[in-house]
Amino acid sequence: MTPPLAVSHVVMLCDQAERDASRAHLSTLLRDHHLPALDDAVSHSRHNLGAYRVRWERHTEFVSWTFLVPLDSEPTGEPPAATESLPKAWLDGLPGRRLVALNLWAFSGTTQQDEAPDPRIKQLLYDATLVGSALSDGRCEAYTDFAIHPDGYSRTLLFVGAATPRGLGRLIQRLLEIETYRMAALIGFPAALKSSGELAQAERELAELATLIPTIHREEEPQLLDRLTRLAGQIESQYAALHSRFSASSAYFSLVDQRIEDLGETRIAGLQTFREFMDRRLSPARNTCEWAVRRQDSLSQRVSRMSNLLRTRVEIMQQQNSEALLATMNQRGDLQLKLQSTVEGLSVAAITYYIVGLISYMAKGMQSWGWPLSAETTAAITIPFVAFGVWWSIRRLHRRILSHQRE
């Protein structure tokens, strides 16, 4: 690029459909100049259309349009904007919502500090908010007021000294990117302001739940846990909706810092530099976005800790209930064991009674064969032996069952 030069930079905030439409919109302009339409895979394109050059770039969230018009001579009054060379209906039909509109003019020569400033500076820019600095080790000077003028565009003046055409092209690109990324970074600022009210309400509800946990009754714990779960879902939903927005803003802020660093600024007496302006005017928005991210993270962690605390309390109550139930079951088991022992004693007596009765019948029958004792005597003698045999058999059966259970 070589001065004098007029550059118009327009950035349109677009969704997926509008980004595709912007490619078709550029193809319409190319067809009017008998040039082929863009391929669907193209995301960056530059074209020389005779009276002006156009540069189109498709980004993740926006589409940037840059129009360049070489000027025939150094204008003394207000210079023409590059957009004046474009078809007005086509320019007004750019898809998307306008995020950035910047007119930049590059003129030859620099305004030395020991000389009177170029009159075009005060003619084209607002003196009250004027910002300027020497760039590229003093070879160029840039001035702007970061204000929207009646035509809807902001303005930047660039005075070029010993810069090469390639160096001037890089410098202009950095100035355009600073404005683009500055405005893209600020997209997250309204979301941060809106989220502050929602986060404050969530913090109040969380504080209320925290005071209820120590005094709540056992039957009220499910309702409290349900409220806490719904609050956690609300916070996580908000975090998911805004995290990508704040991450993008953080990346754009970093790009602004990097582009300003690449300018190689030196101070012009009596004026703020680009770095000072950004630190003073952009830092509050950046800090607000970062604060919203930290507040969301902190609130999410607090809800998680409180949920774990309440779940632990519920689990302890459940364990206590389980212990009480097990103790009751142990008591019932002991009672059943005692009853079983009583039943076993009765069983020994009953079995002994029936066996001794059989022996008595056998003794009566054997008397005819010469058995010397009476049936009653024989039964009385066998009772201890039969009772001991029955008891020993039951004990042996118990040991065998227990040994199988241990295996």
Side-chain angles (χ1 to χ4, degrees):
M1 298 181 185
T2 56
L5 182 70
V7 179
S8 293
H9 184 65
V10 179
V11 177
M12 306 298 292
L13 193 64
C14 301
D15 56 22
Q16 178 64 42
E18 290 169 337
R19 289 194 293 272
D20 294 337
S22 69
R23 184 188 294 109
H25 196 66
L26 177 58
S27 297
T28 301
L29 183 66
L30 295 179
R31 283 194 297 268
D32 292 342
H33 290 77
H34 308 289
L35 295 174
L38 296 181
D39 187 83
D40 291 341
V42 172
S43 60
H44 173 272
S45 181
R46 291 180 295 178
H47 302 276
N48 189 343
L49 303 182
Y52 57 90
R53 287 181 287 169
V54 58
R55 176 175 177 171
W56 173 82
E57 291 182 272
R58 172 174 169 163
H59 298 263
T60 304
E61 296 184 284
F62 56 83
V63 173
S64 65
W65 303 82
T66 306
F67 309 101
L68 302 95
V69 176
L71 300 178
D72 296 333
S73 60
E74 296 277 349
T76 56
E78 182 168 336
T83 51
E84 295 179 10
S85 301
L86 298 168
K88 186 178 185 306
W90 180 89
L91 182 64
D92 293 340
L94 292 179
R97 293 169 292 163
R98 182 176 294 182
L99 181 67
V100 175
L102 169 66
N103 282 326
L104 183 147
W105 292 282
F107 304 129
S108 300
T110 58
T111 301
Q112 301 298 327
Q113 296 184 16
D114 55 351
E115 299 177 356
D118 192 298
R120 288 172 293 190
I121 296 176
K122 291 189 176 182
Q123 180 183 358
L124 298 176
L125 303 176
Y126 297 136
D127 187 61
T129 57
L130 187 61
V131 173
S133 61
L135 311 178
S136 302
D137 299 326
R139 292 191 294 270
C140 301
E141 294 176 6
Y143 299 87
T144 185
D145 54 11
F146 290 104
I148 305 299
H149 289 259
D151 59 357
Y153 285 71
S154 58
R155 296 177 177 180
T156 298
L157 301 183
L158 182 63
F159 295 92
V160 183
T164 63
R166 180 176 291 272
L168 178 60
R170 290 196 299 268
L171 181 58
I172 290 177
Q173 181 175 356
R174 288 166 186 158
L175 291 172
L176 299 181
E177 288 178 346
I178 287 173
E179 185 67 8
T180 299
Y181 295 137
R182 178 177 76 96
M183 297 305 299
L186 290 174
I187 297 175
F189 182 60
L193 293 178
K194 181 181 178 181
S195 68
S196 63
E198 299 174 354
L199 291 173
Q201 182 179 356
E203 287 173 341
R204 288 192 297 270
E205 185 174 358
L206 183 61
E208 179 184 351
L209 295 176
T211 58
L212 292 176
I213 287 181
T215 58
I216 195 172
H217 297 292
R218 182 179 302 180
E219 61 273 8
E220 297 175 335
E221 288 176 350
Q223 292 83 355
L224 182 61
L225 186 59
D226 180 66
R227 288 180 58 187
L228 196 57
T229 301
R230 284 189 284 107
L231 179 61
Q234 174 187 341
I235 294 172
E236 291 302 322
S237 176
Q238 184 186 38
Y239 181 86
L242 297 179
H243 180 70
S244 59
R245 179 69 271 156
F246 292 149
S247 297
S249 291
S250 177
Y252 290 137
F253 281 126
S254 299
L255 287 172
V256 171
D257 292 338
Q258 183 61 49
R259 295 302 184 268
I260 293 177
E261 186 70 25
D262 293 340
L263 290 179
E265 284 188 285
T266 54
R267 178 180 296 277
I268 295 177
L271 294 179
Q272 288 188 90
T273 63
F274 285 83
R275 169 65 69 186
E276 290 172 342
F277 177 86
M278 294 298 178
D279 288 343
R280 185 172 64 89
R281 300 297 294 272
L282 202 62
S283 293
R286 171 186 289 186
N287 294 338
T288 300
C289 293
E290 292 176 352
W291 168 80
V293 172
R294 292 194 300 269
R295 195 175 179 186
Q296 280 186 332
D297 291 339
S298 175
L299 189 58
S300 178
Q301 293 173 6
R302 289 167 57 193
V303 170
S304 178
R305 289 196 299 267
M306 191 172 297
S307 299
N308 292 335
L309 178 62
L310 186 57
R311 289 191 180 95
T312 301
R313 174 172 171 168
V314 172
E315 290 174 358
I316 291 175
M317 293 297 181
Q318 290 176 345
Q319 290 176 359
Q320 292 176 348
N321 293 336
S322 299
E323 291 177 358
L325 180 61
L326 290 174
T328 303
M329 293 176 64
N330 289 335
Q331 293 176 357
R332 291 179 179 177
D334 293 339
L335 180 60
Q336 289 177 353
L337 183 60
K338 292 177 181 179
L339 291 175
Q340 182 178 355
S341 300
T342 302
V343 171
E344 288 177 356
L346 296 176
S347 300
V348 170
I351 295 172
T352 301
Y353 173 78
Y354 285 114
I355 294 176
V356 169
L358 293 176
I359 293 175
S360 175
Y361 284 118
M362 291 176 60
K364 289 180 181 180
M366 292 175 62
Q367 285 180 351
S368 60
W369 294 348
W371 180 256
L373 301 177
S374 65
E376 290 80 3
T377 304
T378 303
I381 294 172
T382 58
I383 285 175
F385 298 100
V386 172
F388 177 78
V390 172
W391 175 84
W392 181 79
S393 299
I394 293 175
R395 295 292 299 175
R396 185 179 180 185
L397 179 61
H398 282 177
R399 292 194 187 104
R400 184 177 299 176
I401 293 174
L402 290 175
S403 63
H404 283 302
Q405 288 179 348
R406 293 192 186 102
E407 293 176 357

